[in-house]
Amino acid sequence: MTVRDRVRTIVDAPWFQASVVTLILINAVILGVETSPRAMAAHGDLLRGIDIVILALFVLELGLRVYAHRAEFFRDPWSWFDMVIVGIALLPTSGPFSVLRVLRVLRVLRLLSVIPSLRHVVSGLFRALPGMMSILFLVMLLLYVSAVMATRLFADDSPQYFQDLPTSLFTLFQIATADGWGTIAKDVMEHTPMAWVFFVVFVLVSTLVALNLFIAVAVEALEKDDGEESGGGPGDGRGGRAVPDPDDGGPDPGHAMIMAELRTLRAEVAELRRERQEV
């Protein structure tokens, strides 16, 4: 076994991945403690030292993975994600770049790439983006139409909410988030008693229907991702029938055809022997 093979065995080992997760969690706790002025006054140097050590371990871990996997490392999007997160932490945080210290908390997001279940959820959400964009366009269209209607209906009676189109858009967005929409509706209904029809229909369509559509698209994408993993995608080796690949030692169509011909020839030879014995 070469040195690279040994390093690859180490970085792919479960205990190594568990150690990385532990470091990320410790780093997350330290970043949270650093927000306390009292803790920084008492243990600031220690916390900064531990943070630097953990960052150095992250850099070492990425270096080992690059050495072990070589080109495979750069073909994995999650590896690029890890490199960007750790690279941001290496940027200078003094002088004009002091605002970048806030970005150190992004290191906690490495949990998304380390924990398989989180990777699965994020991948499912990315799969759902096209469907979500369609629903988002539908919601924006609904907001625009409703804002035009509300401006024409309630601008004179409730200018603080529906004075013009931008104000109506903001008010309806607030109603769609269920933030105090009852107060807004009651204020408008003091001047327009039948306004409750508009608000009830808008809340039902924008909040309940649109939210359920978003959830349905996300669940469908996650279920599709689950089906591909459990059923085994083409050549993925995770269950199901993998597509044969001659390069990985698996059966291929040519091999199966040769074996079938050999079985046929064996049967014919056995038949000729039997006939010869009878003669």
Side-chain angles (χ1 to χ4, degrees):
M1 182 180 293
T2 63
V3 177
R4 179 173 283 108
D5 292 336
R6 293 178 180 177
V7 174
R8 184 166 187 167
T9 302
I10 292 174
V11 298
D12 292 340
W15 66 266
F16 187 86
Q17 301 298 326
S19 301
V20 174
V21 172
T22 303
L23 286 176
I24 295 174
L25 293 176
I26 294 174
N27 194 207
V29 173
I30 291 175
L31 292 173
V33 174
E34 286 183 351
T35 59
S36 172
R38 181 180 301 178
M40 291 300 295
H43 310 287
D45 294 336
L46 176 62
L47 293 174
R48 282 189 289 268
I50 296 175
D51 184 73
I52 293 174
V53 170
I54 292 178
L55 178 59
L57 292 176
F58 284 157
V59 174
L60 177 62
E61 179 241 345
L62 285 178
L64 291 175
R65 286 169 55 190
V66 171
Y67 177 75
H69 296 285
R70 293 181 291 183
E72 296 178 5
F73 177 86
F74 297 99
R75 285 196 292 265
D76 184 11
W78 289 108
S79 298
W80 283 100
F81 177 79
D82 290 342
M83 289 184 62
V84 171
I85 294 298
V86 176
I88 290 175
L90 293 175
L91 294 175
T93 56
S94 59
F97 300 99
S98 59
V99 69
L100 297 178
R101 290 181 60 86
V102 179
L103 300 180
R104 292 186 306 153
V105 74
L106 295 178
R107 274 180 273 173
V108 182
L109 295 178
R110 287 203 61 200
L111 288 173
L112 298 178
S113 64
V114 176
I115 301 178
S117 59
L118 293 180
R119 286 203 306 265
H120 167 66
V121 173
V122 174
S123 299
L125 290 178
F126 275 111
R127 286 175 177 268
L129 279 181
M132 287 185 175
M133 293 302 296
S134 301
I135 299 174
L136 181 61
F137 178 77
L138 177 63
V139 172
M140 292 176 61
L141 186 62
L142 172 66
L143 275 175
Y144 180 79
V145 173
S146 301
V148 172
M149 293 176 59
T151 303
R152 292 183 176 276
L153 291 173
F154 312 126
D156 296 333
D157 297 329
S158 301
Q160 68 274 26
Y161 296 124
F162 303 101
Q163 182 178 3
D164 49 27
L165 185 60
T167 305
S168 298
L169 283 172
F170 180 79
T171 301
L172 292 179
F173 179 78
Q174 179 181 353
I175 293 174
T177 60
D179 181 19
W181 76 273
T183 303
I184 298 175
K186 289 179 181 179
D187 183 75
V188 176
M189 288 171 61
E190 290 180 358
H191 307 281
T192 310
M194 294 301 296
W196 66 268
V197 177
F198 173 85
F199 289 106
V200 169
V201 172
F202 178 78
V203 170
L204 288 176
V205 175
S206 65
T207 304
L208 300 181
V209 176
L211 179 61
N212 287 329
L213 285 175
F214 275 111
I215 295 174
V217 171
V219 170
E220 182 182 2
L222 290 174
E223 288 180 349
K224 184 182 297 184
D225 199 24
D226 281 335
E228 291 181 358
E229 288 189 359
S230 61
D236 59 5
R238 289 177 293 188
R241 296 185 60 185
V243 174
D245 187 0
D247 295 333
D248 61 5
D252 61 282
H255 178 74
M257 186 179 298
I258 292 174
M259 293 302 297
E261 292 178 356
L262 287 176
R263 284 192 292 268
T264 303
L265 289 174
R266 186 180 299 172
E268 292 177 355
V269 170
E271 182 67 23
L272 290 173
R273 285 180 180 177
R274 187 166 50 254
E275 294 176 356
R276 181 177 179 182
Q277 291 176 355
E278 292 176 356
V279 172

